[in-house]
Amino acid sequence: MFLACLLLVAASAETINRDMTNDYSVVACTEASTPCIINCNAASSCRATTISCGSSASCTINLNAAYAAYASTITVGDIKSLTITADSANYALKHGVVNVGSLSGDLTIQAEGTSLEAFYSLDLNVAGVGGNLVVQESPLAGGGRSFAFLAATVAGNVVGNATFAAWNDLGRLDYQPFDISRILLKGSVGGSARFISNMYGTFSENYIEITGSVSGNVEFLDTSAYGRGFCCNPLPTYGIKILGPIGGDLIIRDESTDGHAGYNTDFVFGPVLGDVEVFSSSDSSFEVSTDVCCAPTSSSKGFFFPGTIFGSVRIRDGSTDGHGGYNTDFVFGPVLGDVEVFSSSDSSFEVSSFVFGDVAGSMTFNATGYVWEAFMSMQLDASNIGGDFVMEERPDITRGKSFITVDVHVSGDVGGTARFQAFTDSGTLDRQAFDISKIRIDGSVGGDALFLSNNYGTFSENYIKIGGDIGGDLVMIDTSTHGRGFCCAPTSSSKGFFFPGTIFGSVRIRDGSTDGHGGYNTDFVFGPVLGDVEVFSSSDSSFEVSSFVFGDVAGSMTFNATGYVWQAFMSMQLDASNIGGDFVMEERPDITRGKSFITVDVHVSGDVGGTARFQAFTDSGTLDLQAFDISKIRIDGSVGGDALFLSNNYGTFSENYIKIGGDIGGDLVMIDTSTHGRGFCCAPTSSSYGFFFPGTISGSVRIRDGSTDGYAGYNSDFYFGPVLGDVEVVDNATGPYAYYSTIFEFEAVAGTVLFESLNDWAMAAMETTFGSGVGSVGVVVDGGKNALYTAVFDAREADDLALHCNNDADCSDVNVYCPADNRDNKCRVYCSSSGTNCGYIDLFTTNGYCADASFYCLDTADPTSCNFGSTDKVYCVYDSYAYGQASSNYCAMDTDDVNGGFFCQDVGSAQCSSEVICPLASDTTAPPTTTTSTTTTTTREPTASPTTTSTTTTTTSTTSTTTSTDKPTQNPTTTTTTQNPTTRTPRPTRAAWTPKPTIERNRTPRPTRPAWTPRPTAARTPRPTRSGSFQAIMHVEVERAVEASPQDVLVDEPRYLDGNGASANKRLDHQDSVLGVLDSSDTDMAALPHKLGLLISLMCIVFLVLASSLCFRKYRSKMQDGYLDEMQPLMKEQTNSYQ
């Protein structure tokens, strides 16, 4: 019966059979009301041609052979239904086109049997479907991939169900159907919409869209072995969109074996009236995917919660394999509670983004446990956070790499503490957290800001900025094994650490790692700091080639390199405004380490309120571990306390440029106690070298070489403004050349000045200039060959100068420019014994010997034992020779063979000598230095005849004439002396004193060093010019000191020089000790005996002669026996901890 019916139907239909191969002729049904059946039975029997159904009834096209309708076009009008079937026909309609009008019934296109790529790259265009739409493949082995590269468009509605399916899993990885396809249903679906995958990779790289509504369920199902259904469909090129309302349920399931269904695919859905189920029983399902449910049609992806959340937000991936929230976007409105995003698995929230409105509570992002690359490449944008803001990594020892390449932005404030921390030290080089990241907080942080690293490379190559204030401390610490925290972030749009707001607490930056390099090549910028600043290193190369910029710092600032440290802070640059407390840079390395603070550039544009201390503690005993070498240290303003530069390592502060532009409230101390010396060496004046202290120094200046090898201050220049205390420059080394070829300039010194030399060539070729405010200057040579060789002491504007040559020292070949026109013998040379070399000493004066200058032998047993002689000269202003010029007219020292002692004998046409033995400068009976209206004859030897042994010297002043008797053995008629001075190379002629000449400095040229290239800095605002004068300040200070303590005071361990240059302790009257510094001149009592002699000269000429003889004996006795009581102290050596 069934067969009869079938034959009846076949008999009533128009049937066309194409059985000839390679038939390219047109195929068409012509009967309008009869169903059309077209059978393409032979290979290429309907190939590359047009196939049409003119019937208004149904149309069936059977493709039964390979290439049956290859590249053909099928055209169907508005008919009842259309069915196209490929049965075991490879490439049956490959690259074909199907154009269909409006169907009142079903549309079915299917591939069966062993058909391979039957509808590959099919272009399907349908006006509408009145029934069901079915496009499916159910291949047998050898078939498949029939609808790859499908382009299907239904312009109208599908009244029934819409089904796209691949059945029969062939277990292969290369025959995926519906691959790289585009399916557009632009109308509505009256029934359900199903997309079924039972083969590998079905619907992968697809764009599927149903624009209208779906009345029934929407289902996406993958049940294949190898999965990957609906895979790899990110918007906008790919994706799955059901834009209209879904009347039933939304079901998305990965039931495949290998999983990855929906991997990296974007799903967009309109409103769903039923339930939503997204299910996976496989790996990586829907990984890196975006599901948007029930969102406005303008939304394309993500999780959106724009309203106010009155509770807290908790997002946690506690899975085993992780990937929770992978490549997902989360958007939240205001949150009145806390926010916590937590991961204990791999790749959680990787390449995801979070957007938050204001969060009233705290916000925490936490990666803990067996976690790998959690939050990697995450983006976070938040408005304000009312509580703490925390990002922390606490991985197992073998895991890590969380928060790498994150971009964190808080546009408002953080009310509590902001903490970013990597806890676990993996001990490897590839587990760094927060690497190559951006962390920006535009507003303020109410508490502390903490950046804590305990793993390799944390916060390296970062851009971190807190734009507003920080209410607590700012802490940046690396305690990892392999270090590199905060590394490699020079200023750019993507790197650097910036904190321009006010920091109300302290700043702590520390590299405590093992391998170091923390902060290497990184720029740090800070605004004002109300607490302290500490930058610390105990590792190699920490903060090397880095820069620090600070605003005003209310507390102290310390840079410290301690422990097993090497080249920390090397080539660092520091710029700060004002420092309210102490400013310290110190190196305390282990014995085999060092070289910290080399080639640093330190600039404080304002003041330092406390002590400024730069110190190298550890003596390595080698020649290559110097600290502060080739560096610049500049403080434009004042230092409120002491300024200390302390070296205990080779070459510290060598080739430096150091300048404190303002005042120093305490002492200035520069000491080298190292083994190999060379501290403060090799810094002649230039834009890159020299030591400059032009402001007022309220305390004392202590410059000492206490090293073993010496050479401290070698070939360096030192410049000082007014000093209210004492000055000492001491060579206490065991090696030579301390302060060799060095320049010292002092503007004013209220206390005493002491230069002390102990070793060979120490202070040789040194040039020292004293300004008009300098009082007593003492130069003490206790030993050493050529100790002052070619040295120059320019004291022409000072009050007095004394040169002491002790202990068989070598004081030869020195130039002394005596205080000008002092007329009180305030320029004195003391020689201790015959073993002391006091030859070739030149004194330049205004008035000459006994008036301005004098030589004394301190050998009380034999006052003539000292080797003063014709090589010791006194130059005075004579004829056209100005003060300071050497000429052939001078007086030279000679012994008094009759009376003992020394006198100075004129040479050439000079008038530089008084031709007498000079008394001590403090004698009240000193001979007059001004002329009177009476002619006075002074006889050097009482038994000599004044009429035959005298030489007359006439000085014009009103109407007076003074006659002085020469040595008895000299011929008064000749100007040639009996002295035979030793020949030596003449000194170069010095410039005339007008009033202070420029000293020609003839030093050995130093090797040319590379030019100092300063880093660019912003323009500095000039400091206001100081008012007042040092002389006025000094006068007030002295008056206050005298008024405050008129009683005797005992100075702690003072050092005085007795007649032999030895040390002694002595109690001084306070007024004498202070006022004696400023005015050591004697009273006019020295002229009293002579005035009395004038009154009685007419009555008794014999009495005058006897009185004169007794007077000279008294002078000599005082010189030999009473010198101790007349000497002023040259130096008060304080016991302090600077040495």
Side-chain angles (χ1 to χ4, degrees), residues 831-833 857-866 1059-1060 1116-1123:
C831 198
S832 63
S833 65
C857 182
L858 301 182
D859 190 340
T860 56
D862 183 3
T864 64
S865 63
C866 298
N1060 294 316
R1116 186 169 61 185
S1117 176
K1118 271 188 171 290
M1119 180 177 66
Q1120 295 173 347
D1121 302 327
Y1123 174 69

PDB file of all heavy atoms in Angstrom, residues 831-833 857-866 1059-1060 1116-1123:
ATOM      1  N   CYS A 831     112.781  79.580  65.865  1.00  0.00           N
ATOM      2  CA  CYS A 831     113.544  78.385  65.504  1.00  0.00           C
ATOM      3  C   CYS A 831     114.054  77.748  66.788  1.00  0.00           C
ATOM      4  O   CYS A 831     114.609  78.435  67.660  1.00  0.00           O
ATOM      5  CB  CYS A 831     114.697  78.772  64.588  1.00  0.00           C
ATOM      6  SG  CYS A 831     115.381  77.375  63.680  1.00  0.00           S
ATOM      7  N   SER A 832     113.837  76.414  66.947  1.00  0.00           N
ATOM      8  CA  SER A 832     114.072  75.799  68.260  1.00  0.00           C
ATOM      9  C   SER A 832     115.552  75.513  68.516  1.00  0.00           C
ATOM     10  O   SER A 832     116.008  75.635  69.648  1.00  0.00           O
ATOM     11  CB  SER A 832     113.265  74.507  68.377  1.00  0.00           C
ATOM     12  OG  SER A 832     113.699  73.564  67.413  1.00  0.00           O
ATOM     13  N   SER A 833     116.329  75.099  67.503  1.00  0.00           N
ATOM     14  CA  SER A 833     117.705  74.691  67.780  1.00  0.00           C
ATOM     15  C   SER A 833     118.502  74.669  66.485  1.00  0.00           C
ATOM     16  O   SER A 833     117.966  74.925  65.395  1.00  0.00           O
ATOM     17  CB  SER A 833     117.730  73.305  68.442  1.00  0.00           C
ATOM     18  OG  SER A 833     117.240  72.334  67.532  1.00  0.00           O
ATOM     19  N   CYS A 857     115.560  82.856  68.125  1.00  0.00           N
ATOM     20  CA  CYS A 857     116.117  81.527  68.401  1.00  0.00           C
ATOM     21  C   CYS A 857     115.711  81.135  69.804  1.00  0.00           C
ATOM     22  O   CYS A 857     115.947  81.863  70.768  1.00  0.00           O
ATOM     23  CB  CYS A 857     117.631  81.551  68.265  1.00  0.00           C
ATOM     24  SG  CYS A 857     118.385  79.922  68.527  1.00  0.00           S
ATOM     25  N   LEU A 858     115.083  79.952  69.938  1.00  0.00           N
ATOM     26  CA  LEU A 858     114.540  79.519  71.224  1.00  0.00           C
ATOM     27  C   LEU A 858     115.495  78.623  71.998  1.00  0.00           C
ATOM     28  O   LEU A 858     115.109  78.030  72.999  1.00  0.00           O
ATOM     29  CB  LEU A 858     113.202  78.779  71.007  1.00  0.00           C
ATOM     30  CG  LEU A 858     112.108  79.603  70.317  1.00  0.00           C
ATOM     31  CD1 LEU A 858     110.833  78.789  70.196  1.00  0.00           C
ATOM     32  CD2 LEU A 858     111.832  80.881  71.099  1.00  0.00           C
ATOM     33  N   ASP A 859     116.723  78.488  71.556  1.00  0.00           N
ATOM     34  CA  ASP A 859     117.725  77.721  72.288  1.00  0.00           C
ATOM     35  C   ASP A 859     118.281  78.619  73.385  1.00  0.00           C
ATOM     36  O   ASP A 859     119.145  79.470  73.160  1.00  0.00           O
ATOM     37  CB  ASP A 859     118.816  77.249  71.338  1.00  0.00           C
ATOM     38  CG  ASP A 859     119.746  76.233  72.006  1.00  0.00           C
ATOM     39  OD1 ASP A 859     119.785  76.180  73.256  1.00  0.00           O
ATOM     40  OD2 ASP A 859     120.432  75.503  71.263  1.00  0.00           O
ATOM     41  N   THR A 860     117.779  78.455  74.597  1.00  0.00           N
ATOM     42  CA  THR A 860     118.182  79.335  75.702  1.00  0.00           C
ATOM     43  C   THR A 860     119.639  79.126  76.086  1.00  0.00           C
ATOM     44  O   THR A 860     120.295  80.038  76.594  1.00  0.00           O
ATOM     45  CB  THR A 860     117.285  79.091  76.920  1.00  0.00           C
ATOM     46  OG1 THR A 860     117.346  77.705  77.259  1.00  0.00           O
ATOM     47  CG2 THR A 860     115.830  79.454  76.604  1.00  0.00           C
ATOM     48  N   ALA A 861     120.151  77.911  75.837  1.00  0.00           N
ATOM     49  CA  ALA A 861     121.557  77.677  76.183  1.00  0.00           C
ATOM     50  C   ALA A 861     122.491  78.414  75.233  1.00  0.00           C
ATOM     51  O   ALA A 861     123.536  78.936  75.645  1.00  0.00           O
ATOM     52  CB  ALA A 861     121.849  76.181  76.169  1.00  0.00           C
ATOM     53  N   ASP A 862     122.147  78.458  73.986  1.00  0.00           N
ATOM     54  CA  ASP A 862     122.980  79.142  73.006  1.00  0.00           C
ATOM     55  C   ASP A 862     122.074  79.868  72.022  1.00  0.00           C
ATOM     56  O   ASP A 862     121.633  79.288  71.020  1.00  0.00           O
ATOM     57  CB  ASP A 862     123.861  78.141  72.264  1.00  0.00           C
ATOM     58  CG  ASP A 862     124.813  78.842  71.282  1.00  0.00           C
ATOM     59  OD1 ASP A 862     124.809  80.101  71.252  1.00  0.00           O
ATOM     60  OD2 ASP A 862     125.510  78.126  70.550  1.00  0.00           O
ATOM     61  N   PRO A 863     121.727  81.120  72.289  1.00  0.00           N
ATOM     62  CA  PRO A 863     120.788  81.856  71.427  1.00  0.00           C
ATOM     63  C   PRO A 863     121.286  82.013  70.006  1.00  0.00           C
ATOM     64  O   PRO A 863     120.509  82.400  69.132  1.00  0.00           O
ATOM     65  CB  PRO A 863     120.667  83.206  72.134  1.00  0.00           C
ATOM     66  CG  PRO A 863     121.110  82.970  73.526  1.00  0.00           C
ATOM     67  CD  PRO A 863     122.161  81.911  73.451  1.00  0.00           C
ATOM     68  N   THR A 864     122.561  81.737  69.743  1.00  0.00           N
ATOM     69  CA  THR A 864     123.072  81.881  68.372  1.00  0.00           C
ATOM     70  C   THR A 864     123.163  80.548  67.650  1.00  0.00           C
ATOM     71  O   THR A 864     123.731  80.474  66.558  1.00  0.00           O
ATOM     72  CB  THR A 864     124.453  82.537  68.412  1.00  0.00           C
ATOM     73  OG1 THR A 864     125.367  81.665  69.102  1.00  0.00           O
ATOM     74  CG2 THR A 864     124.419  83.888  69.095  1.00  0.00           C
ATOM     75  N   SER A 865     122.628  79.484  68.269  1.00  0.00           N
ATOM     76  CA  SER A 865     122.777  78.155  67.666  1.00  0.00           C
ATOM     77  C   SER A 865     121.875  77.954  66.451  1.00  0.00           C
ATOM     78  O   SER A 865     122.124  77.082  65.634  1.00  0.00           O
ATOM     79  CB  SER A 865     122.472  77.070  68.704  1.00  0.00           C
ATOM     80  OG  SER A 865     121.109  77.167  69.124  1.00  0.00           O
ATOM     81  N   CYS A 866     120.805  78.729  66.347  1.00  0.00           N
ATOM     82  CA  CYS A 866     119.893  78.557  65.212  1.00  0.00           C
ATOM     83  C   CYS A 866     120.597  78.973  63.925  1.00  0.00           C
ATOM     84  O   CYS A 866     121.488  79.826  63.931  1.00  0.00           O
ATOM     85  CB  CYS A 866     118.628  79.378  65.413  1.00  0.00           C
ATOM     86  SG  CYS A 866     117.685  78.868  66.885  1.00  0.00           S
ATOM     87  N   GLY A1059     108.470  78.242  75.316  1.00  0.00           N
ATOM     88  CA  GLY A1059     109.599  78.811  74.597  1.00  0.00           C
ATOM     89  C   GLY A1059     110.256  77.850  73.637  1.00  0.00           C
ATOM     90  O   GLY A1059     110.928  78.264  72.709  1.00  0.00           O
ATOM     91  N   ASN A1060     110.097  76.538  73.865  1.00  0.00           N
ATOM     92  CA  ASN A1060     110.708  75.571  72.961  1.00  0.00           C
ATOM     93  C   ASN A1060     109.696  74.942  72.006  1.00  0.00           C
ATOM     94  O   ASN A1060     109.952  73.925  71.386  1.00  0.00           O
ATOM     95  CB  ASN A1060     111.392  74.447  73.770  1.00  0.00           C
ATOM     96  CG  ASN A1060     112.565  74.979  74.569  1.00  0.00           C
ATOM     97  OD1 ASN A1060     113.359  75.754  74.037  1.00  0.00           O
ATOM     98  ND2 ASN A1060     112.660  74.591  75.832  1.00  0.00           N
ATOM     99  N   ARG A1116     117.144  91.051  75.825  1.00  0.00           N
ATOM    100  CA  ARG A1116     117.668  89.718  75.524  1.00  0.00           C
ATOM    101  C   ARG A1116     117.284  88.726  76.596  1.00  0.00           C
ATOM    102  O   ARG A1116     116.980  87.568  76.324  1.00  0.00           O
ATOM    103  CB  ARG A1116     119.181  89.789  75.365  1.00  0.00           C
ATOM    104  CG  ARG A1116     119.787  88.455  74.893  1.00  0.00           C
ATOM    105  CD  ARG A1116     121.239  88.618  74.489  1.00  0.00           C
ATOM    106  NE  ARG A1116     122.036  89.070  75.610  1.00  0.00           N
ATOM    107  CZ  ARG A1116     123.337  89.393  75.517  1.00  0.00           C
ATOM    108  NH1 ARG A1116     123.948  89.358  74.350  1.00  0.00           N
ATOM    109  NH2 ARG A1116     124.013  89.801  76.567  1.00  0.00           N
ATOM    110  N   SER A1117     117.329  89.179  77.870  1.00  0.00           N
ATOM    111  CA  SER A1117     116.933  88.274  78.955  1.00  0.00           C
ATOM    112  C   SER A1117     115.489  87.842  78.793  1.00  0.00           C
ATOM    113  O   SER A1117     115.136  86.687  78.994  1.00  0.00           O
ATOM    114  CB  SER A1117     117.161  88.971  80.304  1.00  0.00           C
ATOM    115  OG  SER A1117     116.710  88.150  81.349  1.00  0.00           O
ATOM    116  N   LYS A1118     114.620  88.784  78.444  1.00  0.00           N
ATOM    117  CA  LYS A1118     113.220  88.418  78.275  1.00  0.00           C
ATOM    118  C   LYS A1118     113.035  87.421  77.131  1.00  0.00           C
ATOM    119  O   LYS A1118     112.245  86.506  77.189  1.00  0.00           O
ATOM    120  CB  LYS A1118     112.382  89.665  78.015  1.00  0.00           C
ATOM    121  CG  LYS A1118     111.860  90.346  79.268  1.00  0.00           C
ATOM    122  CD  LYS A1118     110.888  91.457  78.922  1.00  0.00           C
ATOM    123  CE  LYS A1118     110.219  91.980  80.186  1.00  0.00           C
ATOM    124  NZ  LYS A1118     109.305  91.011  80.730  1.00  0.00           N
ATOM    125  N   MET A1119     113.783  87.618  76.068  1.00  0.00           N
ATOM    126  CA  MET A1119     113.669  86.734  74.913  1.00  0.00           C
ATOM    127  C   MET A1119     114.064  85.312  75.272  1.00  0.00           C
ATOM    128  O   MET A1119     113.474  84.347  74.795  1.00  0.00           O
ATOM    129  CB  MET A1119     114.530  87.255  73.775  1.00  0.00           C
ATOM    130  CG  MET A1119     114.469  86.391  72.497  1.00  0.00           C
ATOM    131  SD  MET A1119     115.432  87.091  71.167  1.00  0.00           S
ATOM    132  CE  MET A1119     117.063  86.925  71.881  1.00  0.00           C
ATOM    133  N   GLN A1120     115.047  85.168  76.177  1.00  0.00           N
ATOM    134  CA  GLN A1120     115.560  83.841  76.492  1.00  0.00           C
ATOM    135  C   GLN A1120     114.777  83.173  77.604  1.00  0.00           C
ATOM    136  O   GLN A1120     114.565  81.975  77.593  1.00  0.00           O
ATOM    137  CB  GLN A1120     117.032  83.932  76.884  1.00  0.00           C
ATOM    138  CG  GLN A1120     117.933  84.409  75.739  1.00  0.00           C
ATOM    139  CD  GLN A1120     119.357  84.655  76.168  1.00  0.00           C
ATOM    140  OE1 GLN A1120     119.630  84.707  77.366  1.00  0.00           O
ATOM    141  NE2 GLN A1120     120.257  84.830  75.218  1.00  0.00           N
ATOM    142  N   ASP A1121     114.388  83.961  78.628  1.00  0.00           N
ATOM    143  CA  ASP A1121     113.837  83.345  79.843  1.00  0.00           C
ATOM    144  C   ASP A1121     112.337  83.553  80.018  1.00  0.00           C
ATOM    145  O   ASP A1121     111.690  82.780  80.713  1.00  0.00           O
ATOM    146  CB  ASP A1121     114.549  83.897  81.082  1.00  0.00           C
ATOM    147  CG  ASP A1121     116.058  83.647  80.990  1.00  0.00           C
ATOM    148  OD1 ASP A1121     116.448  82.610  80.401  1.00  0.00           O
ATOM    149  OD2 ASP A1121     116.816  84.490  81.504  1.00  0.00           O
ATOM    150  N   GLY A1122     111.772  84.591  79.441  1.00  0.00           N
ATOM    151  CA  GLY A1122     110.376  84.906  79.772  1.00  0.00           C
ATOM    152  C   GLY A1122     109.409  84.742  78.643  1.00  0.00           C
ATOM    153  O   GLY A1122     108.337  85.345  78.676  1.00  0.00           O
ATOM    154  N   TYR A1123     109.765  83.941  77.660  1.00  0.00           N
ATOM    155  CA  TYR A1123     108.924  83.863  76.470  1.00  0.00           C
ATOM    156  C   TYR A1123     107.560  83.209  76.746  1.00  0.00           C
ATOM    157  O   TYR A1123     106.547  83.597  76.187  1.00  0.00           O
ATOM    158  CB  TYR A1123     109.670  83.079  75.398  1.00  0.00           C
ATOM    159  CG  TYR A1123     108.843  82.815  74.185  1.00  0.00           C
ATOM    160  CD1 TYR A1123     108.487  83.873  73.347  1.00  0.00           C
ATOM    161  CD2 TYR A1123     108.409  81.532  73.874  1.00  0.00           C
ATOM    162  CE1 TYR A1123     107.737  83.652  72.234  1.00  0.00           C
ATOM    163  CE2 TYR A1123     107.647  81.311  72.763  1.00  0.00           C
ATOM    164  CZ  TYR A1123     107.312  82.375  71.936  1.00  0.00           C
ATOM    165  OH  TYR A1123     106.564  82.141  70.823  1.00  0.00           O
TER     166      TYR A1123
END
